[in-house]
Amino acid sequence: MDDFEVSVDHELFRISERYQPDGRLSYDFSWLNGPADGTYGFTIARSVGEAAPNDPDSASRISEEALVEEARVFIDSFYAAGSIGEEDFPDHIPARTRGNSDE
């Protein structure tokens, strides 16, 4: 899968796929307009029981739609009351309230 960018509630992510050293497929979400000058993000990976071979045609890939939903869930939880956004990045303002129209 080639890297791709998505906008979720005006928050911009670059999503890339890679294999962990143990062969598990993982996805890195770089939050391009997020806190810490765009260096913040997250990674998801298949659980140990879902290890995938290093096969580019593997059926174990997560669909782009499911990856976008992962970003949406992350944004919802990041901005929830008492969450990491509020606790660790109190000065960060959601893009939708900054006047961005990237979506």
Side-chain angles (χ1 to χ4, degrees):
M1 177 184 87
D2 291 331
D3 294 0
F4 68 98
E5 293 182 7
V6 306
S7 177
V8 176
D9 293 335
H10 303 286
E11 305 297 343
L12 305 175
F13 290 90
R14 178 178 301 116
I15 302 173
S16 56
E17 177 184 270
R18 67 183 165 95
Y19 285 95
Q20 299 289 330
D22 65 2
R24 287 184 299 144
L25 194 55
S26 66
Y27 297 88
D28 297 314
F29 293 71
S30 299
W31 191 358
L32 302 177
N33 62 344
D37 296 322
T39 62
Y40 193 74
F42 67 101
T43 297
I44 62 170
R46 298 282 188 184
S47 67
V48 174
E50 296 177 296
N54 269 334
D55 176 4
D57 298 318
S58 174
S60 66
R61 281 191 163 67
I62 299 174
S63 70
E64 285 189 18
E65 295 80 15
L67 293 169
V68 170
E69 184 59 24
E70 290 285 346
R72 186 175 313 287
V73 168
F74 174 81
I75 290 298
D76 289 345
S77 64
F78 182 88
Y79 289 123
S83 70
I84 191 168
E86 188 175 271
E87 296 294 320
D88 291 354
F89 302 101
D91 296 332
H92 178 72
I93 300 168
R96 66 181 171 264
T97 59
R98 283 182 272 169
N100 291 352
S101 59
D102 299 25
E103 188 172 49

